[in-house]
Coordinates of all heavy atoms in Angstrom, one line a residue:
R52 N 116.4 17.5 103.3 CA 115.1 16.8 103.2 C 115.3 15.3 102.9 O 114.7 14.4 103.4 CB 114.1 17.4 102.3 CG 113.5 18.7 102.8 CD 112.5 19.2 101.9 NE 112.0 20.5 102.4 CZ 111.3 21.4 101.7 NH1 111.1 21.1 100.4 NH2 110.9 22.5 102.2
Q53 N 116.2 15.1 101.9 CA 116.5 13.7 101.5 C 117.2 12.9 102.7 O 116.9 11.7 102.9 CB 117.4 13.7 100.3 CG 116.7 14.1 99.0 CD 117.7 14.1 97.9 OE1 118.9 14.1 98.0 NE2 117.1 14.1 96.7
L54 N 118.1 13.6 103.4 CA 118.7 12.9 104.6 C 117.7 12.6 105.6 O 117.7 11.5 106.2 CB 119.8 13.8 105.1 CG 120.5 13.3 106.3 CD1 121.3 12.0 106.0 CD2 121.5 14.3 106.9
L55 N 116.7 13.5 105.9 CA 115.7 13.3 106.9 C 114.8 12.1 106.5 O 114.4 11.3 107.3 CB 114.9 14.5 107.2 CG 115.6 15.7 107.9 CD1 114.8 16.9 107.9 CD2 116.0 15.3 109.3
R56 N 114.4 12.1 105.2 CA 113.6 11.0 104.6 C 114.3 9.7 104.8 O 113.7 8.7 105.1 CB 113.2 11.3 103.2 CG 112.3 10.3 102.6 CD 111.9 10.6 101.2 NE 111.5 12.0 101.0 CZ 112.0 12.8 100.1 NH1 113.0 12.4 99.3 NH2 111.6 14.0 99.9
A57 N 115.6 9.7 104.4 CA 116.4 8.4 104.6 C 116.4 8.0 106.0 O 116.4 6.8 106.3 CB 117.8 8.7 104.0
G58 N 116.6 8.9 106.9 CA 116.5 8.6 108.4 C 115.2 7.9 108.8 O 115.2 6.9 109.5
R59 N 114.1 8.5 108.3 CA 112.8 7.9 108.6 C 112.7 6.5 108.1 O 112.2 5.6 108.7 CB 111.7 8.8 108.1 CG 111.5 10.1 108.9 CD 110.2 10.8 108.6 NE 110.2 11.2 107.2 CZ 110.6 12.4 106.7 NH1 111.2 13.2 107.6 NH2 110.5 12.7 105.5
E60 N 113.1 6.3 106.8 CA 113.1 5.0 106.2 C 114.0 4.0 107.0 O 113.6 2.8 107.2 CB 113.5 5.1 104.7 CG 112.5 5.8 103.9 CD 113.0 6.0 102.5 OE1 114.0 5.4 102.1 OE2 112.3 6.7 101.7
Y61 N 115.1 4.4 107.4 CA 116.1 3.6 108.1 C 115.4 3.1 109.4 O 115.5 2.0 109.8 CB 117.3 4.4 108.4 CG 118.5 3.5 108.9 CD1 119.4 2.9 108.0 CD2 118.7 3.3 110.3 CE1 120.4 2.2 108.5 CE2 119.8 2.6 110.7 CZ 120.6 2.0 109.8 OH 121.7 1.2 110.3
D62 N 114.8 4.1 110.1 CA 114.1 3.8 111.4 C 112.9 2.8 111.1 O 112.7 1.9 112.0 CB 113.6 5.0 112.1 CG 114.7 5.8 112.8 OD1 115.7 5.2 113.1 OD2 114.4 7.0 113.1
R63 N 112.2 3.0 110.1 CA 111.1 2.1 109.7 C 111.6 0.7 109.5 O 111.0 -0.3 109.9 CB 110.4 2.6 108.5 CG 109.0 2.0 108.3 CD 108.1 2.7 107.3 NE 108.8 3.5 106.3 CZ 108.8 4.9 106.2 NH1 108.1 5.6 107.2 NH2 109.3 5.5 105.3
L64 N 112.8 0.5 108.9 CA 113.3 -0.8 108.6 C 113.9 -1.5 109.8 O 113.7 -2.6 110.0 CB 114.4 -0.7 107.5 CG 113.9 -0.5 106.1 CD1 115.1 -0.2 105.1 CD2 113.1 -1.6 105.6
F65 N 114.7 -0.7 110.6 CA 115.5 -1.3 111.7 C 115.0 -1.0 113.1 O 115.7 -1.3 114.0 CB 117.0 -0.8 111.5 CG 117.6 -1.3 110.2 CD1 117.8 -0.4 109.2 CD2 117.9 -2.7 110.0 CE1 118.4 -0.9 108.0 CE2 118.4 -3.1 108.9 CZ 118.7 -2.2 107.8
G66 N 113.9 -0.3 113.2 CA 113.4 0.0 114.5 C 113.6 1.5 114.9 O 114.5 2.1 114.4
R67 N 112.7 1.9 115.8 CA 112.7 3.3 116.2 C 114.1 3.7 116.9 O 114.5 3.0 117.8 CB 111.6 3.5 117.2 CG 111.4 5.0 117.5 CD 110.1 5.1 118.3 NE 110.0 6.5 118.7 CZ 109.5 6.9 119.9 NH1 109.2 6.0 120.7 NH2 109.4 8.1 120.1
G68 N 114.6 4.8 116.4 CA 115.9 5.2 117.0 C 117.1 4.6 116.4 O 118.3 5.0 116.8
A69 N 117.0 3.7 115.5 CA 118.2 3.1 114.9 C 119.1 4.1 114.1 O 120.3 4.0 114.2 CB 117.7 2.0 113.9
F70 N 118.4 5.0 113.4 CA 119.2 6.0 112.7 C 120.0 6.9 113.6 O 121.2 7.2 113.4 CB 118.3 6.9 111.9 CG 119.0 7.9 111.0 CD1 119.6 7.5 109.8 CD2 119.0 9.3 111.3 CE1 120.3 8.4 109.0 CE2 119.6 10.2 110.4 CZ 120.3 9.7 109.3
A71 N 119.5 7.3 114.8 CA 120.2 8.1 115.7 C 121.4 7.3 116.3 O 122.5 7.9 116.5 CB 119.3 8.6 116.8
R72 N 121.1 6.0 116.6 CA 122.2 5.2 117.2 C 123.3 5.1 116.2 O 124.5 5.2 116.5 CB 121.7 3.8 117.6 CG 120.9 3.8 118.8 CD 120.6 2.4 119.3 NE 119.9 1.6 118.3 CZ 118.6 1.5 118.2 NH1 117.8 2.2 119.1 NH2 118.0 0.7 117.3
E73 N 123.0 4.8 114.9 CA 124.0 4.7 113.9 C 124.8 6.0 113.7 O 126.0 6.0 113.6 CB 123.3 4.3 112.6 CG 124.3 4.0 111.4 CD 124.9 2.6 111.6 OE1 124.4 1.8 112.4 OE2 126.0 2.4 111.0
A74 N 124.1 7.1 113.7 CA 124.7 8.4 113.6 C 125.7 8.6 114.7 O 126.8 9.2 114.5 CB 123.7 9.5 113.5
R75 N 125.3 8.3 115.9 CA 126.1 8.4 117.1 C 127.4 7.6 117.0 O 128.5 8.0 117.3 CB 125.3 8.0 118.4 CG 126.0 8.5 119.6 CD 125.1 8.3 120.9 NE 123.7 8.5 120.6 CZ 122.8 7.5 120.8 NH1 123.1 6.3 121.3 NH2 121.5 7.8 120.6
V76 N 127.3 6.4 116.5 CA 128.4 5.5 116.3 C 129.4 6.1 115.3 O 130.6 6.1 115.5 CB 128.0 4.1 115.9 CG1 129.1 3.2 115.4 CG2 127.3 3.4 117.1
V77 N 128.8 6.6 114.2 CA 129.7 7.2 113.1 C 130.4 8.4 113.7 O 131.6 8.6 113.4 CB 128.8 7.5 111.9 CG1 129.6 8.3 110.9 CG2 128.4 6.2 111.3
L78 N 129.7 9.3 114.4 CA 130.3 10.5 114.9 C 131.4 10.2 115.9 O 132.4 10.8 115.9 CB 129.2 11.4 115.6 CG 129.7 12.7 116.2 CD1 130.3 13.6 115.1 CD2 128.6 13.4 116.9
T79 N 131.1 9.2 116.8 CA 132.1 8.8 117.8 C 133.3 8.2 117.1 O 134.5 8.6 117.5 CB 131.5 7.8 118.8 OG1 130.3 8.3 119.4 CG2 132.5 7.4 119.8
A80 N 133.2 7.4 116.1 CA 134.3 6.8 115.4 C 135.1 7.9 114.7 O 136.3 7.9 114.7 CB 133.8 5.8 114.4
T81 N 134.4 8.8 114.1 CA 135.1 9.9 113.4 C 135.9 10.8 114.3 O 137.1 11.1 114.0 CB 134.0 10.8 112.6 OG1 133.3 10.0 111.7 CG2 134.7 11.9 111.8
C82 N 135.3 11.1 115.4 CA 136.0 11.9 116.4 C 137.2 11.2 117.0 O 138.3 11.7 117.2 CB 135.1 12.4 117.5 SG 133.9 13.6 117.0
G83 N 137.0 9.9 117.2 CA 138.1 9.1 117.7 C 139.3 9.0 116.8 O 140.5 9.1 117.2
F84 N 139.0 8.8 115.5 CA 140.1 8.7 114.5 C 140.7 10.1 114.4 O 142.0 10.1 114.2 CB 139.5 8.3 113.1 CG 139.2 6.8 113.1 CD1 138.0 6.3 112.7 CD2 140.2 5.9 113.4 CE1 137.7 5.0 112.6 CE2 139.9 4.5 113.3 CZ 138.7 4.1 113.0
F85 N 140.0 11.1 114.5 CA 140.6 12.5 114.4 C 141.6 12.7 115.5 O 142.7 13.2 115.3 CB 139.5 13.6 114.4 CG 140.0 15.0 114.4 CD1 140.6 15.5 113.3 CD2 140.0 15.7 115.6 CE1 141.1 16.8 113.3 CE2 140.5 17.0 115.6 CZ 141.0 17.5 114.5
V86 N 141.2 12.3 116.7 CA 142.0 12.5 117.9 C 143.3 11.7 117.8 O 144.4 12.1 118.0 CB 141.2 12.2 119.2 CG1 142.2 12.1 120.4 CG2 140.2 13.3 119.5
L87 N 143.1 10.4 117.4 CA 144.2 9.5 117.3 C 145.2 10.0 116.2 O 146.4 10.0 116.4 CB 143.8 8.1 117.0 CG 143.1 7.4 118.1 CD1 142.6 6.0 117.7 CD2 144.1 7.2 119.3

């Protein structure tokens, strides 16, 4: 619940969908580093 609330606050500050974009970047980077 705290993570979801933080996501809503992040979207409110940086625009709609910003949290999802940030999460996608972090996930992609993590997977890339794992593969490398």
Side-chain angles (χ1 to χ4, degrees):
R52 285 185 182 159
Q53 288 177 343
L54 181 62
L55 292 174
R56 185 179 310 126
R59 286 192 300 270
E60 290 175 10
Y61 192 90
D62 281 343
R63 194 168 24 253
L64 286 173
F65 297 107
R67 188 172 176 220
F70 185 73
R72 284 191 302 272
E73 187 74 21
R75 196 174 321 124
V76 167
V77 170
L78 180 63
T79 303
T81 302
C82 291
F84 285 125
F85 175 75
V86 169
L87 288 176

